[in-house]
Amino acid sequence: IGIIIKGDSCAELKRFYIDTDYRGKGYGTRLFNKAIEFCRQHGMKKVEFETGKAFTQGHTFYINKGFKK
């Protein structure tokens, strides 16, 4: 997972992929939580991401974490 600082208080999550063998085991949630914690510790008030339209699992994951389309 990559984190790009886009401004004084905005970050973007990039390249957040979990191998199919490891999905559904909590690894993605743990990585995501660490990334959000990092952003908060560095003063980020807003976190953005982009996913392709076909990446429905990613959409569901982010929506379950409280993000909006």
Side-chain angles (χ1 to χ4, degrees):
I1 188 167
I3 301 170
I4 296 174
I5 306 302
K6 294 178 71 176
D8 290 340
S9 63
C10 183
E12 182 178 358
L13 300 183
K14 300 291 281 186
R15 310 291 186 256
F16 183 26
Y17 303 112
I18 302 296
D19 186 275
T20 54
D21 292 341
Y22 296 96
R23 291 181 189 164
K25 298 179 181 180
Y27 296 114
T29 296
R30 282 185 257 171
L31 278 172
F32 175 83
N33 290 342
K34 287 291 185 182
I36 296 299
E37 180 183 330
F38 175 89
C39 291
R40 286 183 179 144
Q41 288 173 346
H42 289 84
M44 301 298 109
K45 306 254 187 261
K46 182 177 179 181
V47 178
E48 300 175 339
F49 64 93
E50 289 184 27
T51 60
K53 290 182 182 183
F55 190 52
T56 56
Q57 284 182 315
H59 297 166
T60 302
F61 179 85
Y62 286 122
I63 288 168
N64 288 340
K65 300 297 181 220
F67 282 81
K68 298 176 185 162
K69 286 186 177 184

